[in-house]
Amino acid sequence: MITTFLRIIKYGFLSFWRNALLSTATLSVIILALLVFEGLIISNVLTKTALTSLQEKIDISIYFKNDTLEDDVLKIKKSLEGLAEVKKVEYISKDKALEIFKEKHKDDPAIKQSLEELEENPLLASLNIKANDPQKYGIIADYLDKTDFKTWFEKVTYAQNAIVIERLGKIIDTAEKGAFVLIIFLALIAILITFNTIRLAIYSNREEIGIMRLVGASNSFIRGPYVIEGIIYGLIAGIFSVIIALPIIYFLSPYIQIFIAEMNLWNYFTSNFIGILIYQLIFGVALGVISSVIAVRKYLKI
Amino acid sequence: MIIFQNVSKIYNNNSHKMTALEEASFNINPKEFVSLVGKSGAGKSTIIKLLIGEEKPSKGRVIFKSYDVNKIKQRELPQLRRHIGVIFQDFRLLPNKNTYENVAFALEVAGRPQSDIKEFVPQALEMVGLKNKIGNFPRELSGGEKQRVAIARAMINHPDLIIADEPTGNLDPINSWEIIRLLLKINELGTTVVLATHNKEFVNYINQRVISVENGRIIRDEEKGKYILE
Ligand SMILES: Nc1ncnc2c1ncn2[C@@H]1O[C@H](COP(=O)(O)OP(=O)(O)OP(=O)(O)O)[C@@H](O)[C@H]1O
Ligand SMILES: [Mg+2]
């Protein structure tokens, strides 16, 4: 049993080594496939970050009439927080609003001066609402439209931004679905190409497989070395795919940060390096082994 | 040891039917040397393929020792084949293994320990006179040398039966005679040999049982036979 197992491992390595040219070609294809997978992992992270950063920017603000009591505003805040669609409600008092306004325009002497001339704070208290999901702003706006508190509202920003918010919600949703389909599609192509390459390599061994059968080799004894070879392919390709990605990501990272300020790809990649490597190794080995087993099956029927 | 009972084989290729063997019946006993003769296309290789389970009979039964060859499961075929050493016209060596490894392979598939391999492989190569070609790959060997590797591989497991399907078909006369003498020697040592050939000289020289096949039918089966056809 052990002897047979060791022989299978030996022949796996031997076959990998003796067919160096074929092995290199197969290896290159698997590396390419794994780079696609890696690109998918990364683009997934990128779209997620981009989407969250977009979503962060969408909100609804309620501005309250000047004579509204703070207690009433807080009561409304509480009731809004009870809604399932609402993620966060932030209360901005008149004073806080003024503070923010001053901070924003501190370099503008004209505004600064006119503010100082005012006796009373002209800004309104407001509630800033964020939804769990950009699609849900419509529901929240409806709720605000029907609520009894409505008499205290000076204005609700959603009404003005409604179209933009709704459209953005749809775009985000479509982008997510589209990215998912694209990922599946690319992954399928990569798998098919790898499978085909391994199939061709094994096709060139079909006579050998037939001879082995005629000499009395069991199917598992014939299949074993191909499985080992698949594992070797997967491991080497996995390691190569992350090493190749390192300089590429180092180079691209600053450009990506221009588009998505929250995203430091290089940091992400280096701090998740081990995880990505393990992921790639598992993917590579699974790809190599499954392709080999399927490809060799056909020739074991003699 | 071998029983063919009313065996027919019809090849079925894209709705085109080809009867290669019709109602063939014969027995072969242990330690016999049987020559299977007939013209090209007569059905000799078909008989051999049925014997090692490479093809299934369309009708009848093929029995080798305790194995009912046509009922045997794909998973059990290797067991059967380890009892039979086969030698082919086109050698069928493993191209990526050298002489030593090709012969050792037959022991490895049977799960034999490394010590057996170290002991028996050199012995077998000694017997076929190839001790000096141990590390050569098939592409570095002549036809005669390749066939001798194949013979060493076929006998290494000490099989009960050695089947040779036109083993001399691709060889010059000198190498051919060498192969025939090796087969006779193997038979003298107690192994049953079935030799398919259309070489009259060899059959007459061997001077043992001859089964003649023509158009898929067994037309003659004689002890101490001669090659009589046409
Ligand atoms: N796989 C196959 N499919 C269809 N027909 C086949 C197949 N194998 C053999 N035949 C046919 O069966 C007949 C017998 O073939 P077989 O190989 O047994 O002949 P043979 O006696 O070994 O001939 P040779 O001396 O040329 O090797 C031939 O007519 C051949 O064309
Ligand atoms: Mg033939």
Side-chain angles (χ1 to χ4, degrees), chain B residues 9-13 16-21 36-49 55 89 165-166 196-198 213 215-216:
Chain B
K9 174 68 189 176
I10 300 163
Y11 287 110
N12 222 336
N13 278 356
H16 181 80
K17 284 193 177 161
M18 167 72 217
T19 307
L21 200 63
L36 203 54
V37 305
K39 281 188 288 198
S40 184
K44 305 183 294 292
S45 297
T46 301
I47 290 177
I48 285 170
K49 282 177 183 162
E55 295 283 355
Q89 176 172 353
D165 190 359
E166 293 181 48
T197 181
H198 30 214
V213 197
N215 289 329

Side-chain angles (χ1 to χ4, degrees), chain A residues 259-296:
Chain A
F259 293 104
I260 313 166
E262 292 88 340
M263 186 81 234
N264 186 329
L265 192 57
W266 176 251
N267 279 352
Y268 171 82
F269 193 74
T270 44
S271 57
N272 290 292
F273 189 76
I274 298 294
I276 293 176
L277 177 64
I278 290 174
Y279 192 59
Q280 291 286 87
L281 290 179
I282 292 175
F283 242 175
V285 169
L287 201 56
V289 170
I290 294 172
S291 305
S292 300
V293 169
I294 295 176
V296 85

